[in-house]
Amino acid sequence: MGHSTARAALIHQHASADRDRLIADAVSGLVKKGRKGTKKPKKQDRKPKGHAGDTAD
């Protein structure tokens, strides 16, 4: 990675992993907030996807 020592590389790798976790947690929180209040459709209310749902009415 271009670091002068293996120790320096490990320090930066650890910092990067911590930052990745922080970003993942923030995105997860945004998704949960966005999904809050939306109700999951009942099975009979869902329309089939794909070819099975392409039939003419």
Side-chain angles (χ1 to χ4, degrees):
M1 291 181 11
H3 297 292
S4 58
T5 65
R7 183 176 184 274
L10 288 172
I11 290 169
H12 287 276
Q13 191 174 18
H14 180 73
S16 178
D18 288 346
R19 183 71 178 156
D20 288 346
R21 171 53 42 203
L22 183 67
I23 293 168
D25 289 343
V27 170
S28 180
L30 290 172
V31 170
K32 286 179 183 178
K33 184 178 178 182
R35 295 183 78 181
K36 194 174 189 178
T38 61
K39 68 176 194 172
K40 190 174 182 179
K42 295 179 182 176
K43 194 170 188 172
Q44 66 268 20
D45 293 340
R46 286 187 273 160
K47 294 186 179 187
K49 295 180 181 178
H51 298 290
D54 294 338
T55 57
D57 289 340

